[in-house]
């Protein structure tokens, strides 16, 4: 059986999703738990990577089940073995052709920044803001990023002609919530650091360091050197993966 799982995690203590030789990735911890359950090595495949200190409420992965366990039993068994900052939310039997990455239709990310820089608990989960942001200018700038574009200028990914850099961002919302500013992005996929670089750029617009039209010019440049802004990782959350 192909088992599809949704997992939430606090990424602050980890070097990202992907398993690594010299650092601890969330993928490694989940695979070790599944190996104990199935009594054999298990490889899981996620919808995509999240970077160091990035969080998730709705990351999705799949694996091949080699034993006669129901999905609910996997949830219970994995959560008994996983640390408290990694929690399986749900599991289900997926169709044989399901693939957590390639079957994905869209992803939704949230980013949280806060004016409450005296909160000692916020540093793990929010990016600090030291001046008031101009919401109207940020929304104008965000409008240039919505739609299908080549997002080379908003990515750290190495340019590879085999890998498309055209993505469709279908939604960007920016709202004040108490002392926080919430950004919400949805698209059919994102390049590495794309959401953080878009957020960092929009924040610079909000500070009036750059103008909304500068964002359009950056996008049209299709040049990795034109955008110098990258919001801190701890404010980023993978909220939902749609199939």
């Amino acid at each position: 059986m192909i088992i599809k799982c949704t997992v939430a995690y606090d990424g602050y203590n980890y070097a990202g999703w992907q398993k690594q030789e010299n650092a601890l990735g969330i993928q490694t911890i989940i695979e070790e738990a599944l190996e104990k359950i199935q009594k054999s090595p298990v490889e899981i495949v996620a919808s995509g990577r999240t970077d160091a200190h990035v969080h998730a409420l709705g990351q999705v992965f799949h694996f091949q089940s080699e034993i006669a366990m129901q999905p609910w039993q996997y949830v219970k068994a994995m959560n008994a073995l996983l640390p408290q900052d990694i929690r399986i939310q749900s599991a289900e039997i997926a169709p044989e052709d399901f693939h957590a990455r390639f079957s994905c239709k869209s992803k939704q990310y949230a980013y949280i920044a806060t004016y409450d820089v005296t909160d000692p608990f916020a540093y793990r989960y929010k990016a600090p803001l030291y001046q008031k942001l101009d919401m109207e200018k940020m929304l104008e700038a965000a409008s240039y990023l919505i739609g299908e574009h080549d997002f080379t200028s908003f990515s750290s990914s190495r340019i590879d002609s085999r890998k498309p850099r055209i993505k469709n961002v279908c939604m960007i919302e920016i709202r004040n919530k108490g002392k926080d500013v919430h950004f919400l992005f949805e698209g059919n996929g994102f390049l590495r650091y794309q959401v953080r670089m878009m957020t960092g750029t929009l924040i610079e617009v909000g500070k009036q360091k750059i103008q909304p039209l500068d964002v359009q010019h950056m996008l049209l440049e299709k040049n990795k050197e034109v955008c110098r802004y990258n919001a801190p990782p701890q404010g980023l959350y993978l909220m939902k993966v749609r199939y």
Side-chain angles (χ1 to χ4, degrees):
M1 295 184 297
I2 300 293
I3 303 294
K4 171 191 172 187
C5 294
T6 301
V7 59
Y9 49 83
D10 176 346
Y12 193 82
N13 292 322
Y14 300 100
W17 170 266
Q18 190 177 22
K19 55 185 174 184
Q20 303 169 46
E21 288 186 9
N22 301 314
L24 186 59
I26 294 159
Q27 178 184 357
T28 297
I29 297 172
I30 297 175
E31 287 182 348
E32 288 175 350
L34 282 169
E35 183 173 352
K36 290 177 182 177
I37 295 166
Q38 295 201 161
K39 310 299 185 192
S40 62
V42 179
E43 182 177 358
I44 64 176
V45 179
S47 68
R49 305 172 186 176
T50 53
D51 293 313
H53 310 314
V54 172
H55 315 291
L57 276 70
Q59 172 71 286
V60 174
F61 67 89
H62 79 264
F63 66 93
Q64 182 75 42
S65 174
E66 303 294 345
I67 57 177
M69 277 183 68
Q70 293 301 309
W72 69 267
Q73 293 174 305
Y74 270 114
V75 174
K76 187 175 181 179
M78 280 192 281
N79 280 338
L81 294 167
L82 291 169
Q84 292 296 318
D85 54 4
I86 303 174
R87 299 281 87 190
I88 305 300
Q89 304 296 297
S90 65
E92 62 185 90
I93 298 172
E96 289 186 5
D97 62 349
F98 176 79
H99 193 283
R101 180 182 174 191
F102 298 126
S103 301
C104 170
K105 301 299 184 185
S106 70
K107 292 182 181 178
Q108 187 180 98
Y109 284 90
Y111 194 93
I112 304 176
T114 185
Y115 296 113
D116 189 1
V117 296
T118 62
D119 181 355
F121 305 104
Y123 76 98
R124 293 171 62 109
Y125 307 110
K126 303 173 184 179
L129 293 171
Y130 297 100
Q131 67 181 84
K132 203 72 174 175
L133 301 181
D134 186 321
M135 187 66 65
E136 187 175 335
K137 284 188 178 295
M138 287 196 297
L139 289 169
E140 180 186 346
S143 69
Y144 296 120
L145 298 171
I146 294 174
E148 188 172 81
H149 305 287
D150 183 325
F151 282 95
T152 298
S153 297
F154 294 91
S155 171
S156 72
S157 299
R158 183 181 303 171
I159 294 178
D160 185 338
S161 59
R162 298 168 298 176
K163 296 181 180 180
R165 297 183 297 280
I166 296 175
K167 302 294 180 182
N168 189 347
V169 176
C170 62
M171 178 190 70
I172 301 178
E173 293 181 358
I174 312 172
R175 295 177 181 173
N176 289 311
K177 291 190 176 182
K179 296 180 180 180
D180 298 340
V181 180
H182 286 228
F183 299 79
L184 192 64
F185 302 85
E186 185 163 345
N188 65 349
F190 295 93
L191 302 170
R192 190 178 187 203
Y193 293 169
Q194 182 183 335
V195 176
R196 286 169 55 195
M197 291 179 74
M198 291 191 298
T199 304
T201 303
L202 292 173
I203 288 173
E204 291 301 305
V205 172
K207 293 176 181 177
Q208 301 190 32
K209 297 288 183 65
I210 59 175
Q211 295 302 311
L213 272 177
D214 293 329
V215 177
Q216 184 185 44
H217 295 152
M218 287 181 194
L219 188 66
L220 296 175
E221 282 281 332
K222 303 174 189 176
N223 182 341
K224 286 166 57 66
E225 307 301 321
V226 299
C227 180
R228 307 185 306 277
Y229 312 113
N230 192 2
Q234 73 271 17
L236 183 62
Y237 298 76
L238 173 57
M239 300 296 292
K240 192 178 297 184
V241 184
R242 301 187 195 275
Y243 292 94

